[in-house]
Amino acid sequence: MNHADGGTPAPGIRVVIVDDHAIFRSGLRADLDPSIVVAGEAGTVDEAIAVIAAVRPDVVLLDVHLPGGLGGGGREVLAGSVPLLGSTRFLALSVSDAAEDVVAVIRAGARGYVTKTISGAEISDAVRRVAGGDAVFSPRLAGFVLDAFGTAPADIAGDELDRLSARELEVMRLIARGYSYKEVAKELFISIKTVETHVSAVLRKLQLSSRHELTRWAAERRLL
Amino acid sequence: MTTAPARLPLVRGSDRVIAGVCAGLADHLGWPVRMVRTGMVVAALAGGAGVAFYAWLWIMVPTADERAKHNAHNARRPASRIAPDAATREPRSEVPAAEPRRNRFVGMRYGKEILLGAGLLLAAGILIARLLGLDVPLGTLIPVAAILGGAAIAWMQLDETRRAGLVDKAKADQAGGWTRLAAGLALVVAGVLVMVSGSGSWEQTWLALLSSVAVLGGVALVLLPWGLKFWRDLETERAGRVRATERAEIAAHLHDSVLQTLALIQRRAGHEHDVVRLARAQERELRGWLYRDPGKEAGQLSEGIKAAAAEVEDAVGQAVEVVSVGDCAMTERHEALVQAAREAMLNAARHGGGAVAVYVEVTGGAAEVFVKDRGPGFEPESVPVDRLGVRESIIGRMNRHGGTAAIISSQDGTEVRLRLPVSAGTTAGTAADNGEVKL
C-alpha cells in the first residue's frame, strides 16, 4: 500500500448525501474533497431509496435519523436498498451517541459510522475508505463494539462469530483511544492493510453475530 | 362568597376537627377559629342548620391541596411565559404541599376518634335513659344512627378519594376505599329501609328492598352510558393534560438552554473560541438531558471522567471526546485517577491544539484511562523539575495510589496512559511493563 492514509484512491467517487437538513447537506458538499462528486441528495426515506436506485452511487452518506417512510430512518433506507448493497456502500452519519441507533444501522448493512462533528478531511478520508471496501469505525463505535463483545479475547474456535480475537481487540482498543489506522498499524507493527482486514472482520461479526450477550446488551439499550 | 382582594381564598384548612371547614372559613373571614366553631355548634343545635351548612361547605369547598393543584395546573397550561398572570391571578396560600397533607392525616384520625367517642357516648346515654325508665324510641333512633354512620363512612371515603387525587392512588388503598364505601352504602340503605318500612315485618322489608334495588338498577341502566361517556371524556382530558404538561416541560427546557445559548452565540459570533465553547457546552447539556439513563446510578467512574472532560472543555474551549467501556463505582483511589486524567486532558487541550480523545476501560483487573492529542509532542524528560503538572499531578499522584502513568510523545501527538489496578500493588509490575514499553 503506497497511499498514505486513504485506502484505495478512486478519483471521482460518486456519493449521495442523505440528510433531512438542507444546511447540513450543503455544508457537507462544500467540505468534501474535490475528488468526491456529489451525485445526488435526498431528505427523506422515500426520496433516498429512489435517488439511490436511480444514481447508483459508490457511497451513500446516510443520516441515521430521517423523516418519512415508516419511521425507520436510515435503517429503512438500507432495507430498501438491499439489492444494491453489493455495489453501493453506506456510511452512517449521526449526531446521536445512542448505541441503539448506531448498532442498528451497522447491523442493517452500513460499512461504517462517523459523527457529524468530524472535519471535512476526515469525512473525505472515510468516504474513500468505505468506497475501497473497508470499514470505518469511529472511536465511539469501537467503544460500543468492545462494550458489546466484552474485552476478553476468544479462546475456542467454535464461537468465532461471537468473540473478537486478541488482535481484533487490540485494534478496537486503539481505535477507541483515537488512533488512526496508520497509527494503529505503527503501534502493532502490522501493515495498514492488515488493520483494515481486522476492522472489516469486526464489522462482519457485529453484523452477523447472534451472540446472546450482544442481544442482551442491545436489549438493555432498547434495540432489536 | 365575598371576594375582597386581600382575603384568603375559601379552602378547607389543614387544622381540622372533622373536615377543616371551620378553620377554612375562619381563615377566609379573618375571624378566630374558636368563634367560628362555637357558632357552628350553636347553629347545629338550632334545628340542625349548622350541620346542613357544614355538610354543604364540606362538599363545595376544596381543600388547600386541591386548590394548589388546580392553580398549578392552570399556571402551567400556557407553554411559556407568554401569559404569566395565570399563576398570579388567584392569590395562592403559601403552604407547602407536603406539610398540610401530613397534618390532615393527623386531624382526620382524631376526627374519627372523636366521632366514635361521640357515638359511644350517645349509645351509653340512651342505655342509661332506658335504665332510668325513659321511653326512648329505639325503633327510629337505630335506623337514623345507621344512616348517619353509613353516610359518614361514605363521605369520609369520598373526601379521602379527593384528597389522594384520582390519578396517584395506590391500588391497595383503592380496594380498602371501595370496601368502606360499600359498607357505608349498605348501612345507609339498611337504615333507610328499616325506617321507611316502619321497623315492620321481614317480608315488608324484603319487598321494599327488592323494589328499591329494582328502581336503582333501572336508574343505573339508564345512567350507565352517560356515566361511561363522562368517564371516558375525563380520561381523554387527563391524557391530554399529561401530554400538555410534558410538552410544556420540554419547551421550558429548550427555552432555558438551547434558545439562550443560540442567542449568546449570535451575540458573540465574532469570537470563534467563545462560539465553539458555548456550542460544545450546550451540546453536552442537551445530550445529557436527552440520553440520560435513569437506571444508571450516579457516582460511576465514567461519570467522573466525563465531568472532568466537561470542565476542561469549558476551561480551554477544545473538544474532549470521551469513550468508555465498562464501569465501576468511584472510590477514593478512582478519585485520584480522575484528577490525574483531568490534568492530562488539560495539558492535551492546552498544548495539543485540537480535539482530545479520552478512552476509559474498566476490566476485572484494573481501570485504565488514555488521553490522546495530536499536538506537536514534547519530551517528557525535558520537562523542568519545577513544573508540577506532569510530574506531580499525573505521575506522582498515580504512583501514590498504587497505579502507574506513562507518557508517550512523538511529533504525531502525545498519549497519557493511566492505569489503576483493583487492589493496590498486585498488578503494578505488569502495568508498568505495559505502559513503559513505548517510551
Side-chain angles (χ1 to χ4, degrees), chain B residues 26-157:
Chain B
D27 278 351
H28 178 65
L29 298 174
W31 296 348
V33 182
R34 194 178 294 268
M35 205 173 104
V36 176
R37 281 187 182 142
T38 317
M40 197 65 88
V41 171
V42 169
L45 292 176
V51 175
F53 183 52
Y54 193 97
W56 184 69
L57 281 183
W58 188 351
I59 293 164
M60 301 305 287
V61 175
T63 61
D65 264 12
E66 280 163 353
R67 168 57 73 81
K69 236 184 250 172
H70 183 70
N71 277 0
H73 170 57
N74 272 0
R76 213 180 295 165
R77 194 168 286 167
S80 64
R81 294 131 200 212
I82 302 161
D85 57 337
T88 46
R89 205 176 294 143
E90 292 171 297
R92 220 184 301 181
S93 52
E94 296 296 322
V95 255
E99 185 81 9
R101 171 163 294 204
R102 192 155 41 81
N103 283 347
R104 258 180 25 208
F105 272 118
V106 174
M108 206 64 192
R109 202 160 59 227
Y110 286 152
K112 271 178 194 160
E113 276 153 15
I114 288 166
L115 278 183
L116 193 68
L120 286 175
L121 274 180
L122 199 65
I126 291 167
L127 280 177
I128 289 168
R130 274 175 70 91
L131 277 180
L132 291 177
L134 276 169
D135 180 30
V136 182
L138 269 185
T140 42
L141 260 185
I142 290 174
V144 166
I147 293 170
L148 284 181
I153 292 174
W155 280 354
M156 276 186 172
Q157 179 50 35

Side-chain angles (χ1 to χ4, degrees), chain A residues 1 3 6-11 13 128:
Chain A
M1 218 61 223
H3 307 289
T8 328
I13 298 173
R128 272 195 294 274

